[in-house]
Amino acid sequence: MTDFNEIKETLVNLDEQRLIELVNEALEKDIPPGDILNKGLIAGMDIVGEKMENEDMFIPEVLMAAKAMSKGVEILKPLLSDKETQTRGSVIIGTVKGDLHDIGKNLVAMMMESAGLTVHNLGVDIAPEEFVRMIKEKNAGILCLSALLTTTMPMMKQTIDAVVESGLRDQVKIMVGGAPVTQAFADDIGADAFASDAGSAAKSAKALVA
Ligand code: B1M
């Protein structure tokens, strides 16, 4: 038990070197890699998400936590069977066409990965038809759209319209976010969820696939 608490605390304290040591020590003690991931790293990242929501942690610290976590995941990945990874769902995420901002979107992607979701990060300036193609190819359950410009917000609606036209709307939950996006806008364009920050986006995505 102590091992998991120490892993969680070390992640929240952003001590990457110690975190790597603890993951290796846990493996030496024959603790299953899936437990180290889910009860240690992912549980620690859930705390980071909560702290971010409460403004007890800020973007640079969250990025450091995500980097430390991915070092731990790198050690565990080869040892985890598909079953142990406990993937909670497949997510397609991208910044909509015409928009090149990706810092916040990448943070959302990282938090979702840390929460155990399989994330396909398409990048920036993604056209509606590309989102549709990737939902089909990856059999995604969640589509996440990011926009940072008021001028590219209408592209979120166009992307949702393209998903509806493709006949895939019933199989995919759609979440939208980005600085100018609001809950009212999300409701207006027919999205299933809105999140104002990366921590609540990951929490909301987990709820959507629960
Ligand atoms: Co741009 N830019 N920019 N810019 N830029 C803004 C957005 C702007 C508000 C600056 C300003 O004027 N005050 C303004 C938009 C005005 C508006 O539309 N209302 C603006 C503008 C005008 C422009 C250009 C048009 C400037 C020009 O060329 N004249 C141009 C457009 C280029 C384009 O996209 N086509 C442009 C370009 C750029 C850079 C390339 C220089 C650079 C982007 C680099 C990059 O992303 N790789 C840039 C930057 C850095 C900014 C600011 C300064 C910072 C954005 C950022 O990364 N924030 C920004 C001003 C600002 O926001 N203070 C600005 C940090 C990031 C962690 O926050 O992205 O909000 P954010 O993400 C948050 C949440 O929003 C949320 O979670 C994240 C983490 O908590 N979230 C989601 C984001 N996506 C989500 C998706 C979800 C859920 C939550 O679910 C799917």
Side-chain angles (χ1 to χ4, degrees):
M1 284 301 132
T2 323
D3 286 313
F4 299 129
N5 282 334
E6 209 181 340
I7 288 173
K8 284 190 275 184
E9 278 165 25
T10 307
L11 183 63
V12 173
N13 293 334
L14 311 174
D15 189 344
E16 182 180 311
Q17 233 13 70
R18 181 69 189 136
L19 188 74
I20 292 168
E21 281 169 21
L22 287 173
V23 169
N24 283 321
E25 279 171 22
L27 287 173
E28 279 160 24
K29 286 181 198 161
D30 284 333
I31 294 175
D35 283 357
I36 303 171
L37 178 69
N38 291 306
K39 298 179 187 172
L41 297 176
I42 290 179
M45 214 51 189
D46 283 344
I47 300 172
V48 172
E50 280 161 25
K51 282 185 175 288
M52 187 182 178
E53 264 185 76
N54 299 330
E55 300 190 344
D56 290 331
M57 279 179 97
F58 296 95
I59 307 296
E61 294 159 306
V62 177
L63 285 170
M64 283 170 77
K67 183 172 159 277
M69 158 125 189
S70 58
K71 293 278 178 189
V73 173
E74 264 172 44
I75 300 168
L76 298 175
K77 244 184 191 165
L79 306 167
L80 291 163
S81 68
D82 285 346
K83 197 171 154 232
E84 269 187 321
T85 324
Q86 287 188 6
T87 294
R88 286 159 160 171
S90 177
V91 177
I92 299 287
I93 187 167
T95 305
V96 296
K97 189 175 162 74
D99 200 320
L100 303 176
H101 296 84
D102 70 354
I103 298 169
K105 180 263 298 170
N106 288 344
L107 206 52
V108 172
M110 272 193 278
M111 291 296 286
M112 287 186 176
E113 267 173 7
S114 303
L117 295 152
T118 301
V119 179
H120 305 281
N121 188 343
L122 306 190
V124 297
D125 193 22
I126 305 300
E129 52 275 21
E130 179 62 4
F131 279 116
V132 168
R133 193 180 73 75
M134 290 304 287
I135 295 167
K136 276 187 202 148
E137 188 178 309
K138 302 295 179 191
N139 193 24
I142 304 181
L143 172 65
C144 289
L145 305 174
S146 181
L148 262 284
L149 300 169
T150 45
T151 49
T152 55
M153 285 167 68
M155 193 49 75
M156 291 179 144
K157 166 90 168 86
Q158 287 187 43
T159 305
I160 293 177
D161 289 347
V163 175
V164 172
E165 277 161 30
S166 72
L168 295 169
R169 186 64 184 93
D170 288 344
Q171 81 162 55
V172 73
K173 299 284 184 191
I174 303 179
M175 188 192 301
V176 293
V181 180
T182 61
Q183 180 67 59
F185 178 75
D187 294 341
D188 210 36
I189 63 171
D192 298 298
F194 158 75
S196 59
D197 59 73
S200 52
K203 201 187 265 183
S204 179
K206 278 193 281 180
L208 286 174
V209 293

